[in-house]
């Protein structure tokens, strides 16, 4: 975290295809070329229309402005081995205007080990660019994909936004860099390569690049509690919530009373002095601060000057910056790799090729060249090292011709994200990254490394033929076939994992494919929408490598499917790879891996952030050993009466949707099913106000269901009046603007923003949006045909008669600690009278058909669900003078959509792929060979570190829970340890005696999951000691023992048999079969 904070502080494109292009804009009639799907389009603010269904998760990361800029970019990718293919795939999914492929090299068999779009039929027949073109076109119908043959001319460069080069000679890089820098604005240049298990990236965006948003994080805001008049002035924020600002942030002020000179003034840079305070420079000459105010972070454009490739090769460190250090255990490695890779380029310049694989003479020559380059740059005043590490240089040289899938996936994600940064979103790499996974190299280099003319030759060159054979026999369980799952399947197919002998990849996912998946789950196409993810992904991965042995399932992994994923299944599994999107499922899979002592590769993404956790039996923490803190919840009173942020109004609107169109129709249906029972139970539920509201909803729905669409508009207008006028007016009646608390402070201050009622106006677009959405949703509930013509709805709305607001004497809670019983006292009597009225209505409506509750669906913009929530949220924001939100922000927040992009997914997959290769030699490896990872492509930042050891349970002299000493037996056991009791289907008494005789503990409480089998404090449980443990389990759980189950997982609370001290022991595996 400290390193991340430090690095955070440091840190009219042509629409015509380039000349010499062999293919142009694809048409709908071309074979294998998709047409854009029918979906909702939105404007980015310019002339670009954006498919918000396809790009919804990406928009959640980038925002509409960046998407608009990205969709005008034209990018050339030169070099289509594994890295080029990964970059092209990630970039096309992101959605630029055009991607031009450039690689005249003829496909070789070994290319199939990293380029997933090549096939054996392409070998020796087609260029890599031509062989990839059709497949890449299928990824995104909005992107023009073409092939450039021959050299990259200056005229070609002029029509581009950015060029990505790989497998390119030094002289050609310098030639193209001179051309890109000469353009106005400069054309971006990215040079990236993988050399076996080493990699490098160089970025140049010209002399005058501007970063609009360095980190992509949403701007924070805080409520001002005070500002001092001094130099520097100190701002104090409301103590209800930490301000969350960082040193160097820029902020602006609004709504200040006193010190009004700061309101809407130019942004000021801050220095943080505490979680609730910061300084803003000299305020001594300003008027005194009185009260109120909002401070908001703003994004200030950051100019960034890039140097040329030639300059950076001499001095890779920018002024006042250090080279990125991805692996905390490899201090100084980036500098060593810099000279190793420069030596490779020098070797290529003299020999017209990279060093041959495992050629000792060539590697020695590279060491000599590196030393000569180091000496020369020292004389020129560039970066020079006191000592070069021969071993590092040789490891790069030995396998410089090799391209393996995990390294390509990692770097392909990084490089594609750097291309996106040409839009000005996020901090570009400034300017080089060096990375290695030397841990993959065997301690003793394999003797069986010679090429076999197979797709795995590059991998065999590093790891050996026997390793490859063991890899092919690996039995992998992949949980999830979404974005990560698709990438993992591709990775397994490329590496040959589960591709031979008894090897197999089992993948399971219950979900079907949706349009929004197509933007990052690259194995799916438009025609696959509605199909099962696991089956479709399995077929697509097998098409990449026919030898992949895959078993696709549509079964959820959880306690209810343990008969499917039984002991035999887990025992036969070699490694588990999680590709899940929820914590509960992750924890369950992790618990299974801990129980069966199986390695687990855990990973996740959130926008530009990604993480990898390696879970190794008895060597590392499990996933469940450490968890993120819970998300902050919004206090109920804040939602109901006192919102002060747009997130509060969106959450309120989501609840409002649920109440009106889901819960209300269900209440009606419950009433229709058995009115007497419903009305008999109602008096025990809540206040009279609450009961009256329920019955009013039911009565209204039953009376209006036979009407025409006009009753739906009437309903919507009255809901508007109630929520955005009357309830606000009532709140102000109860707590007038001048109201003061018992302490004498103004009630409406700090986080309590004084609201204002809204008068319904059918000519106001937002008012009409609410009425249209609410009326159509209500019509769907009632079974009345919907109306989408806004003029008709506006006309009907203008005819609705509204009654003037009359205040009531009501009780309202002022915060969540308030014990006041909310509601109107007069409503109790009204509720009792209405129950009598409803009894007659229930008798009349007994045979009526039920209403149709809404089922919330966030990804269908035509169903009015998000439209209603957006309108309601923004109307409430107007009530409280909160800045309104655009439709997509509401969609992301209300739908709890996790921002996701293909680049982060690919990067994480590459890191996991490397760890999978290490797991194959787990028995001979040390834990420090493995790498957990945290990365954020926005900054950019990579932090690789050794996995943490397992948490140990140890004895304590005083435990705060038991209020006394606690013993651990055995001392220092972890979650990986368990006690095996293998005495057959024995009695509980025998089980208890076994624990006392073999482990010296007396059983106090014995449980399996939530079922308590024995409690020594309960006399009635004594008779259970004579019964079999399995029978007790069946009696308590009221279910038969599953036929495949051979053991119970038992947790025991115990005490020491000698001195009675509380004892903690590992989980018990009671084997009864």
């Amino acid at each position: 975290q400290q390193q991340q904070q430090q690095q955070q502080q440091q840190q009219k494109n042509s629409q015509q295809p380039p000349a010499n292009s062999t293919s142009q804009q694809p048409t709908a009639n071309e074979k294998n070329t998709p047409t854009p799907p029918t979906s909702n389009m939105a404007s980015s603010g310019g002339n670009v229309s954006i498919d918000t269904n396809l790009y919804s998760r990406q928009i959640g990361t980038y925002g509409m402005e960046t998407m608009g800029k990205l969709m005008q970019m034209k990018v050339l990718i030169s070099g289509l081995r594994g890295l080029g293919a990964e970059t092209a795939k990630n970039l096309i999914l992101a959605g630029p205007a055009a991607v031009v492929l450039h690689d005249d090299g003829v496909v070789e068999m070994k290319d199939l080990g990293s380029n997933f779009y090549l096939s054996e039929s392409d070998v020796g027949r087609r260029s890599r660019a031509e062989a990839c073109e059709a497949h890449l076109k299928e990824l995104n119908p909005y992107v023009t994909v073409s092939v450039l043959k021959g050299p990259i001319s200056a005229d070609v460069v002029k029509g581009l936004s950015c060029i990505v080069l790989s497998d390119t000679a030094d002289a050609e890089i310098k030639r193209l860099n001179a051309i890109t820098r000469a353009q106005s604005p400069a054309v971006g240049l990215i040079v990236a390569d993988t050399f076996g298990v080493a990699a490098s990236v160089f970025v140049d965006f010209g002399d005058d690049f501007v970063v609009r948003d360095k980190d992509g994080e949403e701007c924070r805001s805080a409520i001002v509690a005070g500002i001092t008049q001094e130099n520097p002035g100190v701002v104090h924020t409301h103590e209800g919530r930490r301000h969350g600002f960082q040193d160097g942030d820029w902020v602006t002020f609004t709504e200040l009373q006193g010190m009004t000179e700061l309101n809407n003034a130019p942004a000021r840079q801050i220095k943080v002095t505490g979680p609730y305070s910061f300084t803003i420079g000299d305020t001594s000459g300003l008027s005194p601060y009185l009260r109120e105010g909002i401070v908001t972070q703003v994004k200030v454009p950051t100019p960034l000057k890039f140097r040329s490739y030639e300059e950076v090769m001499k001095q890779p460190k920018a002024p006042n910056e250090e080279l990125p250090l991805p692996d905390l255990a490899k201090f100084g490695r980036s500098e060593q790799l810099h000279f190793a890779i420069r030596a490779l380029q020098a070797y290529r310049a003299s020999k017209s090729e990279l060093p041959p694989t495992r050629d000792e003479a060539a590697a020695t020559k590279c060491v000599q060249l590196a030393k000569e380059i180091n000496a020369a740059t020292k004389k020129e005043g560039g970066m020079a090292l006191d000592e070069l590490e021969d071993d590092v240089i040789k490891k790069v040289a030995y396998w410089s011709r090799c391209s393996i899938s995990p390294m390509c996936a990692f770097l392909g994600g990084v490089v594609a994200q750097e291309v996106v940064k040409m839009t000005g979103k996020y901090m570009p790499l400034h300017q080089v990254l060096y990375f290695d996974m030397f841990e993959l190299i065997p301690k003793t280099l394999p003797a069986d490394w010679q090429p076999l003319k197979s797709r795995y030759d590059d991998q065999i060159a590093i790891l050996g033929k026997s390793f490859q054979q063991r890899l092919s026999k690996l039995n992998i369980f992949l949980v999830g076939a979404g974005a990560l799952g698709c990438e993992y399947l591709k990775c397994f197919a490329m590496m040959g994992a589960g591709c031979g002998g008894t090897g197999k990849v089992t993948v399971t996912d219950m979900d079907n494919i949706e349009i929004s998946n197509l933007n990052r789950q690259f194995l799916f196409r438009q025609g696959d929408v509605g199909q099962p993810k696991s089956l479709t992904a399995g077929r697509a991965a097998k098409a990449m490598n026919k030898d992949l042995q895959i078993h696709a399932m549509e079964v959820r992994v959880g306690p209810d499917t343990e008969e499917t994923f039984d002991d035999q299944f887990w025992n036969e599994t070699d490694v588990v790879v999680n590709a899940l999107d929820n914590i509960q499922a992750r924890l369950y899979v992790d618990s299974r891996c801990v129980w069966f002592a199986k390695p687990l590769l855990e990973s996740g993404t959130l926008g530009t952030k990604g993480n990898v956790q390696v879970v190794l039996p008895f060597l590392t923490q499990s996933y469940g050993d450490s968890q993120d803190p819970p998300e902050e919840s919004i206090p109920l009173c804040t939602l109901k009466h006192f919102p002060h942020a747009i997130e509060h109004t969106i959450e309120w609107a989501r609840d409002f949707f649920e109440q009106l169109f889901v819960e209300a129709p269900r209440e009606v249906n419950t009433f229709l099913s058995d009115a007497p029972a419903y009305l008999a139970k109602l008096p025990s539920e809540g206040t009279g106000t609450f009961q009256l509201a329920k019955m009013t909803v039911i009565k209204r729905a039953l009376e209006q269901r036979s009407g025409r669409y006009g009753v739906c508009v009437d309903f919507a207008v009255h809901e508007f009046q109630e929520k955005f006028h009357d309830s606000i007016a009532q709140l102000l009646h109860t707590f007038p603007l001048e109201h003061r608390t018992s302490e004498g402070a103004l009630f409406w201050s700090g986080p309590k923003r004084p609201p204002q009622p809204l008068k319904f106006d059918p000519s106001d677009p937002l008012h009409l949006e609410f009425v249209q959405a609410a009326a159509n949703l209500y019509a769907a509930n009632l079974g009345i045909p919907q109306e989408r013509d806004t003029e008709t709805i506006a006309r009907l709305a203008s005819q609705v008669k509204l009654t003037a607001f009359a205040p009531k004497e009501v009780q309202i809670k002022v915060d969540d600690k308030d014990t006041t019983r909310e509601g109107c006292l007069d409503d109790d009597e009204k509720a009792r009278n209405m129950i009598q009225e409803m009894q007659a209505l229930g008798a009349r409506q007994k045979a009526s058909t039920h209403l149709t509750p809404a089922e919330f669906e966030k990804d269908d913009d035509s169903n009015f669900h998000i439209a209603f929530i957006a309108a309601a949220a923004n109307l409430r924001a107007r009530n409280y003078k909160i800045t309104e939100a655009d439709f997509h922000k509401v969609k992301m927040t209300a739908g709890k959509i996790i921002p996701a992009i293909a680049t982060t997914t690919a990067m994480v997959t590459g890191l996991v792929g490397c760890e999978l290769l290490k797991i194959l030699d787990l028995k001979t490896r040390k834990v420090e060979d493995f790498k957990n990872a945290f990365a954020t492509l926005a900054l950019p930042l990579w932090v690789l570190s050794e996995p943490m050891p397992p948490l140990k349970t140890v004895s304590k002299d005083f435990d705060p829970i038991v209020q006394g000493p606690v013993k651990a037996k055995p001392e220092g056991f972890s979650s990986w340890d368990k006690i095996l009791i293998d005495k057959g289907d024995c009695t509980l008494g025998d089980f208890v005696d076994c624990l006392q005789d073999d482990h010296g503990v007396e059983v106090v409480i014995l449980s399996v999951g939530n079922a308590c089998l024995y409690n020594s404090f309960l006399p009635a449980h004594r008779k259970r000691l004579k019964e079999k443990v399995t029978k007790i389990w069946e009696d308590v759980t009221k279910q038969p023992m599953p036929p495949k189950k051979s053991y119970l997982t038992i947790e025991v609370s115990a005490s020491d048999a000698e001195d009675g001290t509380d004892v903690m022991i590992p989980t018990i595996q009671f084997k009864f079969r």
Side-chain angles (χ1 to χ4, degrees):
Q1 290 175 339
Q2 290 174 347
Q3 181 181 3
Q4 181 181 0
Q5 290 172 356
Q6 291 167 0
Q7 294 207 23
Q8 281 178 311
Q9 298 306 316
Q10 293 173 354
Q11 307 189 301
K12 307 166 183 181
N13 298 313
S14 169
Q15 294 302 302
Q16 299 301 316
N20 304 325
S21 176
T22 62
S23 60
Q24 308 297 326
Q25 173 75 35
T27 66
N29 294 324
E30 285 188 71
K31 186 178 181 181
N32 297 326
T33 303
T35 56
T38 302
S39 55
N40 289 355
M41 306 297 285
S43 172
S44 65
N47 297 320
V48 180
S49 293
I50 300 174
D51 185 337
T52 55
N53 277 358
L54 177 66
Y55 292 120
S56 63
R57 276 56 173 175
Q58 184 169 293
I59 294 170
T61 305
Y62 295 158
M64 293 291 280
E65 182 182 357
T66 297
M67 277 300 305
K69 293 176 182 291
L70 174 61
M71 292 180 71
Q72 298 178 66
M73 289 181 62
K74 183 169 291 184
V75 183
L76 182 143
I77 298 174
S78 180
L80 269 298
R81 293 197 72 195
L83 175 57
E86 289 280 359
T87 304
K89 175 255 295 176
N90 296 331
L91 194 56
I92 291 168
L93 289 171
V99 171
V100 183
L101 310 175
H102 176 254
D103 191 333
D104 293 333
V106 177
V107 177
E108 301 177 54
M109 191 64 193
K110 68 175 187 176
D111 292 335
L112 275 63
S114 58
N115 185 326
F116 39 89
Y117 284 146
L118 302 179
S119 65
E120 293 184 19
S121 61
D122 296 321
V123 176
R125 297 179 181 178
R126 307 171 71 190
S127 73
R128 283 186 281 264
E130 291 172 324
C132 292
E133 181 186 14
H135 295 289
L136 289 169
K137 278 183 176 179
E138 292 179 349
L139 288 173
N140 193 333
Y142 296 109
V143 180
T144 302
V145 179
S146 58
V147 171
L148 173 69
K149 291 184 176 180
I152 304 170
S153 67
D155 287 340
V156 169
V157 174
K158 290 176 183 177
L160 299 169
S161 311
C162 186
I163 298 174
V164 179
L165 302 176
S166 62
D167 198 22
T168 304
D170 214 43
E172 177 67 358
I173 295 171
K174 292 175 182 176
R175 180 186 76 84
L176 289 172
N177 194 207
I179 298 172
T180 60
R181 293 181 67 81
Q183 307 307 306
S184 182
V187 173
L189 177 71
I190 300 173
V191 181
D193 284 289
T194 61
F195 302 105
V197 288
S200 67
V201 183
F202 161 81
V203 175
D204 177 15
F205 288 166
D207 291 333
D208 303 309
F209 189 75
V210 177
V211 182
R212 294 182 293 106
D213 181 353
K214 292 193 292 185
D215 58 14
E217 300 294 334
E218 286 200 25
C219 289
R220 292 177 171 271
S221 64
I223 298 169
V224 178
I227 307 177
T228 64
Q229 280 181 295
E230 57 183 322
N231 187 11
V234 180
V235 178
H236 298 277
T237 60
H238 194 272
E239 293 189 357
R241 182 180 180 185
R242 292 168 179 258
H243 57 63
F245 300 138
Q246 294 184 359
D247 280 349
D249 283 349
W250 294 78
V251 299
T252 59
F253 294 86
T254 55
E255 303 182 22
L256 293 175
Q257 296 182 30
M259 208 170 281
T260 54
E261 299 93 330
L262 290 177
N263 281 336
N264 302 310
R268 290 191 174 218
Q269 195 168 24
I270 69 169
K271 181 176 178 61
V272 173
T273 56
Y276 306 101
S277 63
F278 54 87
T279 61
I280 57 169
D282 190 1
T283 60
S284 58
L286 304 181
S287 58
Y289 169 83
L290 298 176
R291 58 189 294 264
E292 306 307 325
I294 302 292
V295 56
T296 304
Q297 179 189 10
V298 294
K299 304 284 187 179
V300 175
T302 305
L304 207 59
K305 180 179 174 61
F306 288 81
R307 296 171 295 142
S308 70
Y309 175 79
E310 190 168 6
E311 291 176 286
V312 171
M313 288 304 102
K314 291 178 183 177
Q315 175 52 273
K317 297 181 182 180
N320 302 316
E321 293 184 22
E322 293 295 325
L323 295 182
L325 179 64
D327 191 331
L328 300 176
K330 299 177 180 178
F331 184 78
R333 178 63 58 81
S334 294
E335 290 80 358
Q336 295 288 339
L337 289 171
H338 173 76
F339 285 101
I341 290 171
R342 284 200 66 188
L344 286 187
Q345 288 286 27
Y347 185 97
R348 174 153 49 187
S350 64
K351 303 286 187 180
S352 299
E353 63 177 4
L354 289 170
T357 301
R358 291 278 297 270
D359 189 303
E360 186 62 34
T364 302
K365 178 63 176 175
C366 286
V367 172
Q368 178 189 337
L369 289 169
K371 291 179 178 178
E372 292 172 359
I373 293 168
N374 187 43
T377 53
K378 187 174 184 178
K379 288 182 180 179
E380 296 170 356
M383 186 184 79
L385 302 180
D386 294 335
E387 184 178 356
L388 293 177
E389 297 178 22
D390 294 4
D391 183 56
V392 170
I393 299 167
K394 286 188 174 184
K395 284 176 178 176
V396 176
Y398 281 155
W399 297 288
S400 60
R401 296 188 180 188
C402 297
S403 175
I404 63 171
S405 179
M407 292 295 291
C408 294
F410 169 79
L411 211 64
V414 172
V415 171
Q417 190 63 53
E418 291 302 309
V419 174
V420 172
K421 292 177 184 179
M422 281 289 293
T423 62
K425 181 87 168 184
Y426 308 129
M427 180 61 70
L429 187 63
H430 197 231
Q431 291 182 254
V432 289
L433 169 69
Y434 294 106
F435 179 82
D436 76 81
M437 271 289 178
F438 286 165
E439 297 82 12
L440 287 174
I441 301 170
K443 298 295 184 285
T444 302
L445 296 186
D448 56 347
W449 64 272
Q450 291 80 4
L452 304 173
K453 294 185 178 180
S454 81
R455 66 192 304 147
Y456 310 121
D457 276 359
D458 282 356
Q459 202 161 269
I460 289 172
I462 302 169
L463 302 169
K465 180 182 176 182
S466 60
F467 181 97
Q468 188 64 43
Q469 290 172 339
R470 287 189 289 126
L471 181 63
S472 70
K473 296 175 183 177
L474 203 62
N475 195 334
I476 303 171
F477 183 29
L478 173 61
V479 190
L484 282 167
C486 285
E487 289 284 345
Y488 287 138
L489 287 171
K490 174 261 296 176
C491 191
F492 301 155
M494 294 298 97
M495 293 193 303
C499 291
T502 57
K504 180 175 65 174
V505 175
T506 301
V507 58
T508 188
D509 196 309
M510 292 179 64
D511 290 344
N512 291 335
I513 299 164
E514 301 174 357
I515 288 177
S516 62
N517 300 149
L518 306 182
N519 171 239
R520 64 202 183 283
Q521 300 176 19
F522 85 108
L523 297 182
F524 306 143
R525 300 292 177 268
Q526 179 69 25
D528 297 325
V529 172
Q531 299 300 309
K533 284 186 176 181
S534 56
L535 300 177
T536 307
R539 284 195 302 269
K542 192 169 180 66
M544 294 175 174
N545 184 348
K546 65 181 188 303
D547 294 330
L548 180 65
Q549 301 185 89
I550 192 153
H551 178 210
M553 305 174 69
E554 298 177 72
V555 182
R556 190 177 77 88
V557 183
D560 56 331
T561 58
E562 289 184 0
E563 284 294 282
T564 301
F565 302 108
D566 56 14
D567 293 5
Q568 182 180 351
F569 174 85
W570 288 101
N571 287 326
E572 291 176 352
T573 297
D574 296 314
V575 61
V576 180
V577 179
N578 264 354
L580 291 161
D581 61 359
N582 70 87
I583 291 176
Q584 184 179 1
R586 285 185 167 114
L587 287 170
Y588 176 78
V589 174
D590 174 72
S591 70
R592 295 283 83 192
C593 290
V594 169
W595 183 256
F596 290 97
K598 298 296 179 181
L600 169 66
L601 295 173
E602 175 60 64
S603 59
T605 69
L606 178 66
T608 60
K609 302 180 184 74
N611 72 282
V612 175
Q613 182 180 357
V614 183
V615 178
L616 305 173
F618 303 100
L619 296 177
T620 72
Q621 286 186 3
S622 69
Y623 175 79
D625 280 346
S626 61
Q627 295 183 37
D628 294 333
E631 292 184 13
E632 288 186 22
S633 60
I634 304 171
L636 186 59
C637 279
T638 300
L639 282 179
K640 288 185 69 175
H641 305 300
F642 311 115
H644 53 84
I646 191 64
E647 290 77 15
H648 302 161
T649 71
I650 294 173
E651 184 70 20
W652 175 89
R654 177 69 179 85
D655 290 345
F656 188 23
F657 171 91
E658 198 74 13
Q659 292 165 14
L660 279 187
F661 308 115
V662 181
E663 294 174 4
R666 287 177 180 166
E667 285 290 328
V668 175
N669 293 342
T670 303
F671 174 80
L672 290 174
S673 297
D674 191 343
Y678 180 91
L679 294 171
K681 182 182 176 185
L682 188 61
S684 63
E685 297 181 6
T687 63
T689 303
F690 176 77
Q691 298 164 22
L692 198 62
K694 273 193 169 188
M695 290 185 285
T696 301
V697 165
I698 295 171
K699 182 182 178 184
R700 178 178 60 186
L702 293 178
E703 289 176 348
Q704 293 180 339
R705 65 186 307 177
S706 58
R708 296 186 177 183
Y709 185 76
V711 302
C712 300
V713 175
D714 183 88
F715 160 86
V717 173
H718 277 92
E719 283 297 329
F720 179 102
Q721 181 73 5
E722 166 59 28
K723 291 299 187 292
F724 308 114
H725 183 276
D726 291 0
S727 64
I728 299 298
Q730 180 64 57
L731 186 61
L732 289 172
H733 173 77
T734 306
F735 301 112
L737 291 178
E738 66 279 3
H739 183 74
R740 291 183 178 272
T741 66
S742 57
E743 290 83 17
L746 278 169
F747 180 83
W748 294 109
S749 64
K752 289 186 172 68
R753 298 174 64 82
Q756 57 186 10
L758 299 181
K759 183 178 180 181
F760 179 68
D761 179 2
S763 66
D764 186 310
L766 184 59
H767 294 202
L768 190 59
E769 286 169 18
F770 174 85
V771 171
Q772 181 181 29
N776 280 293
L777 287 167
Y778 191 53
N781 286 157
L782 301 182
I784 296 173
Q786 293 182 329
E787 174 61 68
R788 292 175 182 266
D789 181 64
T790 54
E791 291 184 4
T792 300
I793 296 170
R795 177 175 52 79
L796 292 170
S798 65
Q799 297 170 0
V800 176
K801 303 298 182 185
L802 295 170
T803 56
F805 166 72
K808 301 176 183 178
E809 295 306 316
V810 300
Q811 300 285 334
I812 296 176
K813 289 186 178 183
V814 298
D815 57 44
D816 280 5
K817 297 177 182 177
D818 192 342
T819 58
T820 300
R821 190 168 181 257
E822 290 195 329
C824 179
L825 299 178
D826 296 341
D827 287 343
D828 291 347
E829 181 62 29
K830 291 179 181 178
R832 285 191 288 270
N833 293 334
M834 193 168 183
I835 287 176
Q836 303 299 320
E837 181 184 344
M838 293 297 289
Q839 287 173 346
L841 179 64
R844 292 197 305 271
Q845 298 279 353
K846 190 173 183 180
S848 299
T849 56
H850 285 200
L851 304 192
T852 305
E855 293 184 12
F856 179 65
E857 172 50 58
K858 59 187 179 292
D859 285 320
D860 180 2
D861 291 349
S862 67
N863 64 11
F864 294 107
H865 293 190
I866 297 297
F868 172 84
I869 295 170
N874 284 329
L875 286 168
R876 189 161 175 83
R878 271 188 203 178
N879 280 141
Y880 287 87
K881 298 184 286 293
I882 297 168
T883 303
E884 296 171 26
D886 61 41
F887 182 88
H888 202 79
K889 176 176 175 58
V890 175
K891 182 175 182 175
M892 297 293 293
T893 306
K896 301 188 184 300
I897 295 173
I898 299 173
I901 49 177
T903 51
T904 312
T905 305
M907 174 190 67
V908 165
T909 302
L911 293 171
V912 170
C914 290
E915 301 308 308
L916 179 66
L917 293 174
K918 298 174 192 176
I919 282 175
L920 210 61
D921 289 329
L922 178 58
K923 292 180 180 178
T924 60
R925 286 190 174 274
K926 298 178 181 178
V927 70
E928 52 262 35
D929 290 339
F930 295 88
K931 301 294 178 183
N932 283 350
F934 168 79
T936 173
L937 290 173
L939 296 178
L941 171 73
W942 300 270
V943 180
L944 275 64
S945 57
E946 178 185 328
M948 296 291 288
L951 296 179
K952 302 289 187 181
T953 301
V954 296
S955 300
K956 300 176 184 178
D957 292 333
F958 180 82
D959 183 271
I961 297 176
V962 301
Q963 294 291 300
V966 172
K967 290 183 180 179
K969 287 190 174 186
E971 188 68 38
F973 71 86
S974 74
S975 58
W976 295 101
D977 295 300
K978 51 183 172 283
I979 295 173
L980 175 64
I981 294 183
D982 188 3
K983 290 187 171 295
D985 195 7
C986 66
T987 65
L988 177 59
D990 291 337
F991 179 94
V992 170
D993 290 344
C994 177
L995 279 177
Q996 181 162 348
D997 296 342
D998 296 348
H999 302 278
V1001 298
E1002 293 182 349
V1003 173
V1004 178
I1005 298 175
L1006 186 151
S1007 61
V1008 176
N1010 294 326
C1012 178
L1013 305 192
Y1014 176 69
N1015 186 332
S1016 63
F1017 296 113
L1018 299 177
H1021 280 200
R1022 300 281 172 82
K1023 63 181 181 182
R1024 293 184 179 182
L1025 292 170
K1026 297 180 180 180
E1027 297 180 15
K1028 290 185 176 181
V1029 176
T1030 52
K1031 184 180 183 305
I1032 298 171
W1033 182 88
E1034 289 180 328
D1035 292 343
V1036 172
T1037 62
K1038 295 180 173 56
Q1039 57 181 315
M1041 186 66 68
K1044 290 185 177 181
K1045 199 168 188 66
S1046 61
Y1047 65 88
L1048 288 175
T1049 304
I1050 298 179
E1051 301 292 343
V1052 170
S1053 173
S1055 60
D1056 188 276
E1058 294 182 357
D1059 59 17
T1061 303
D1062 286 323
V1063 172
M1064 295 179 290
I1065 63 174
T1067 301
I1068 297 172
Q1069 182 180 20
F1070 171 59
K1071 193 169 183 181
F1072 56 83
R1073 284 183 184 146

